[in-house]
Amino acid sequence: MITTTKYLSYILRTGIEAIDNIIANIDSYYSSWNKPKLDKDTDEPLLDKDGNIKTRPINSTKDPLKAIQKRIYKFFLRRVDLPKYFFGGVPKKDNASNAKYHQGNKYVFTTDLKSFFPSISNKAVFNMFLELGCHPTVARKLTQLTTINRQVPQGVPTSTLIANLVFKKTGDKIYRYASENGMKFSVFVDDITISSQTDIKEKIPHILLILKEDGYRISHQKTFYKTKNPIVTGVICQNNRIKLPHSFHKRIKRVSKKAEEDPKLQKKADGIKLYINKISSFNS
């Protein structure tokens, strides 16, 4: 894939000396903060059992590292064939197309991989680059440019693609098992969905075992097995259509009303309306 540092420099449009300098000072190119988790119905912060606001760690990078990460993303996206079961971080795919993929299947299992990005180590990323055919020196530099604190950060340009490429080994195992048993399987970032037209409850433990053996943990609070109106990546998946939960329509009414008082919220309201129209377009 990338066999020399000279070729790496060409791809990243950055001299090796400059790349090494960025790597040596990688912390200075990152900003990190904890983003509050909000209730989807009220937009109010979610609280844990001790009354503290629940948060998720978010990272961002600044140029020139951010520009380099975008070039890494574009290079590997063009040259690596991602399996069809990936819907997150893939152009022209999103949470709605992921839900549409499972439309018509009565039995739906959904789960969430706990601390997905932090669970992917720099060692796993390094090995992934090696398996793609990169020279060890190149693989090491790519790993240093796409990880921080020995893990994949959440929120930077390369994160979802890197996570997909690392998870692919596990995903292929699940996909083979699902295909052999008449099931559909998809991944949207850290959300796993399995569906079928027949009852698959007895097949789920084997899938969970595959995830566990490969070092992934599931969130039991976000694990469901449903046969009626299952929600797949935020969208209700029915037999002949997909639609948004009723709470989402209540949310647009609430935000639109607030936007009348605070014009700054109008952009948010317009974004929600566009999303509602997009979901509707999947059924036309």
Side-chain angles (χ1 to χ4, degrees):
M1 181 71 74
I2 307 177
T3 56
T4 66
T5 54
K6 184 177 181 179
Y7 186 31
L8 176 66
S9 176
Y10 170 77
I11 292 166
L12 302 184
R13 288 180 257 165
T14 309
I16 288 301
E17 186 176 336
I19 291 173
D20 289 340
N21 183 61
I22 291 171
I23 291 172
N25 299 280
I26 199 74
D27 288 346
S28 65
Y29 294 96
Y30 275 87
S31 295
S32 302
W33 67 94
N34 291 320
K35 182 179 180 180
K37 294 183 179 180
L38 302 179
D39 186 291
K40 294 180 180 179
D41 293 335
T42 65
D43 285 335
E44 296 295 324
L46 291 173
L47 304 179
D48 62 20
K49 60 181 181 180
D50 297 319
N52 300 313
I53 295 176
K54 292 183 179 181
T55 61
R56 62 169 56 88
I58 300 294
N59 300 274
S60 66
T61 48
K62 59 185 178 181
D63 289 332
L65 177 59
K66 186 174 185 177
I68 286 174
Q69 289 174 334
K70 287 181 178 179
R71 290 166 193 149
I72 292 172
Y73 169 80
K74 290 179 180 178
F75 178 84
F76 284 96
L77 186 67
R78 290 171 184 160
R79 287 163 178 80
V80 178
D81 291 327
L82 285 172
K84 67 178 183 179
Y85 58 75
F86 281 119
F87 282 80
V90 180
K92 299 181 180 179
K93 286 186 173 184
D94 55 20
N95 68 304
S97 58
N98 180 50
K100 183 74 174 179
Y101 179 65
H102 294 277
Q103 179 185 308
N105 282 348
K106 179 179 180 180
Y107 300 88
V108 180
F109 170 80
T110 57
T111 191
D112 177 273
L113 299 179
K114 186 179 290 187
S115 301
F116 181 48
F117 289 102
S119 72
I120 301 176
S121 68
N122 58 342
K123 182 179 179 180
V125 174
F126 175 72
N127 288 332
M128 177 271 294
F129 282 127
L130 287 180
E131 290 168 6
L132 288 179
C134 294
H135 185 278
T137 300
V138 172
R140 186 172 297 107
K141 292 184 186 300
L142 286 169
T143 300
Q144 291 169 322
L145 290 167
T146 57
T147 62
I148 188 76
N149 298 326
R150 299 185 178 182
Q151 62 190 33
V152 173
Q154 183 169 332
V156 305
T158 49
S159 291
T160 301
L161 178 61
I162 294 295
N164 284 347
L165 292 173
V166 172
F167 186 77
K168 180 180 178 297
K169 187 178 294 185
T170 301
D172 285 348
K173 295 178 188 176
I174 298 175
Y175 178 74
R176 283 193 295 271
Y177 181 74
S179 298
E180 291 167 358
N181 290 276
M183 300 182 285
K184 281 188 173 182
F185 160 63
S186 69
V187 182
F188 182 78
V189 191
D190 56 358
D191 289 311
I192 303 289
T193 305
I194 308 281
S195 70
S196 177
Q197 294 183 3
T198 59
D199 193 349
I200 54 172
K201 186 174 288 186
E202 76 280 2
K203 303 287 195 310
I204 299 305
H206 183 72
I207 292 169
L208 297 180
L209 180 62
I210 292 173
L211 291 168
K212 182 179 180 181
E213 288 180 341
D214 284 2
Y216 298 101
R217 297 179 300 148
I218 68 165
S219 173
H220 293 284
Q221 293 180 331
K222 298 179 180 179
T223 298
F224 304 96
Y225 185 74
K226 290 191 174 183
T227 60
K228 184 178 181 181
N229 292 335
I231 295 179
V232 176
T233 49
V235 180
I236 296 175
C237 191
Q238 297 183 321
N239 187 51
N240 56 4
R241 67 170 180 165
I242 61 172
K243 68 176 187 177
L244 290 168
H246 180 64
S247 60
F248 199 93
H249 294 280
K250 290 171 61 178
R251 182 184 179 196
I252 182 58
K253 289 181 180 179
R254 184 175 63 254
V255 174
S256 295
K257 187 174 181 180
K258 288 183 178 180
E260 293 176 359
E261 303 171 359
D262 184 357
K264 294 180 181 179
L265 292 175
Q266 188 58 52
K267 187 176 181 180
K268 181 178 181 180
D270 291 341
I272 296 175
K273 289 176 183 177
L274 284 173
Y275 180 60
I276 291 174
N277 292 335
K278 180 180 181 179
I279 298 299
S280 297
S281 70
F282 274 89
N283 301 313
S284 59

